Amino acid sequence: MNERVESLKGKLIVSCQALPHEPLHSSFIMGRMALAAKEGGAVGIRANTKEDIREIQSLTDLPVIGIVKRDYEDSRVYITPTMKEIEELMEVRPEIIAMDATISVRPGGKTLDEFFCEVKQRYPEQLFMADCSTVEEAFHADELGFDFIGTTMVGYTEQSKNDRIEENDFEILRKIVANVKHRVIAEGNINTPEKARRVIELGAFSVVVGSIITRPQLITKSFADALMN
């Protein structure tokens, strides 16, 4: 594992993403968001699309976890779902590429096992992160050989809809950390500094924090809602 990736150990990665329907959707803005995150102490960035990643790379020297979010009619998988998205990301070569590693079938009817095998054969030196929603999916991704196991999808799939990563002092995370060989990146609803510190204490290699830092419309809503009650 290279030195840039090792620098993520025990530190904060900030997710700088804005989808087309969101007010801050712009590679220019995401680049500045990443720069602001770096000034605040982030040591890594998670970003969506080769355009955003290229802009972020031009402004910061931070390692990047890259994804491409794209919807396909025949699949629920939308985080780096096909080889097309992998190829786009390899144009900008983020240090880590993340993909959906849930039990959902990918576009074209491909399983995760089939897809990951193809990707690793084509890009054997690239580091990959598994975005999982359950403990079982995390174990399976670990067996497949993902370099990093993430809790990104907990609560966002049918099989995990009743789960929350922070419940019972991060019980899901603790089970994963205790049973996998590869490094675990905590992500998903980690929305306070205290939670971020706790997941590192529990053995996560690194922690990704997103919306609470980089989506002002959601941050604003939490204040506005509090005043309506």
Side-chain angles (χ1 to χ4, degrees):
M1 201 112 6
N2 67 48
E3 198 172 301
R4 287 169 59 74
V5 174
E6 287 292 345
S7 71
L8 299 172
K9 182 175 174 58
K11 302 295 184 180
L12 173 67
I13 300 166
V14 170
S15 181
C16 297
Q17 299 179 45
L19 297 174
H21 67 276
E22 295 182 281
L24 299 189
H25 178 66
S26 158
S27 295
F28 175 88
I29 294 173
M30 287 303 103
R32 272 60 187 175
M33 188 74 79
L35 189 57
K38 178 182 178 180
E39 287 190 9
V43 302
I45 302 294
R46 179 166 164 131
N48 174 36
T49 77
K50 66 180 181 181
E51 293 82 9
D52 284 12
I53 293 170
R54 187 177 284 121
E55 179 69 12
I56 288 165
Q57 290 170 332
S58 75
L59 293 171
T60 82
D61 57 352
L62 300 182
V64 173
I65 299 174
I67 63 171
V68 176
K69 288 182 175 177
R70 187 168 287 142
D71 294 322
Y72 286 82
E73 289 186 1
D74 62 341
S75 176
R76 294 180 180 177
V77 174
Y78 61 90
I79 298 178
T80 321
T82 75
M83 191 63 77
K84 173 181 171 63
E85 289 76 38
I86 296 287
E87 298 287 2
E88 290 174 12
L89 289 168
M90 289 306 294
E91 291 180 35
V92 290
R93 294 190 174 274
E95 281 71 16
I96 302 166
I97 290 178
M99 68 175 74
D100 182 302
T102 68
I103 59 173
S104 297
V105 176
R106 310 184 86 82
K110 276 188 182 169
T111 65
L112 173 65
D113 298 44
E114 292 169 328
F115 180 63
F116 187 63
C117 181
E118 288 178 18
V119 170
K120 283 299 287 183
Q121 284 182 345
R122 189 170 300 186
Y123 298 110
E125 301 304 315
Q126 175 65 42
L127 298 177
F128 291 98
M129 173 177 169
D131 288 347
C132 304
S133 72
T134 67
V135 171
E136 292 74 22
E137 288 168 352
F139 291 173
H140 185 61
D142 185 55
E143 290 172 3
L144 285 178
F146 277 87
D147 302 283
F148 297 93
I149 311 299
T151 56
T152 319
M153 300 296 288
V154 174
Y156 293 99
T157 61
E158 186 64 28
Q159 61 272 22
S160 70
K161 63 184 179 181
N162 296 319
D163 296 327
R164 292 179 68 83
I165 183 64
E166 74 274 24
E167 280 187 346
N168 301 320
D169 191 24
F170 296 95
E171 182 179 9
I172 290 173
L173 175 69
R174 285 188 282 116
K175 284 182 179 177
I176 294 171
V177 168
N179 290 282
V180 300
K181 301 184 295 290
H182 296 91
R183 292 167 168 179
V184 178
I185 295 179
E187 181 174 4
N189 203 41
I190 299 169
N191 53 14
T192 68
E194 292 75 23
K195 289 181 184 178
R197 183 178 181 85
R198 183 59 177 154
V199 297
I200 297 300
E201 290 173 347
L202 293 173
F205 173 71
S206 189
V207 56
V208 176
V209 178
S211 296
I212 199 64
I213 295 175
T214 57
R215 282 194 164 100
Q217 71 272 29
L218 298 182
I219 303 166
T220 301
K221 188 176 186 301
S222 69
F223 283 88
D225 287 351
L227 297 181
M228 292 177 66
N229 295 331

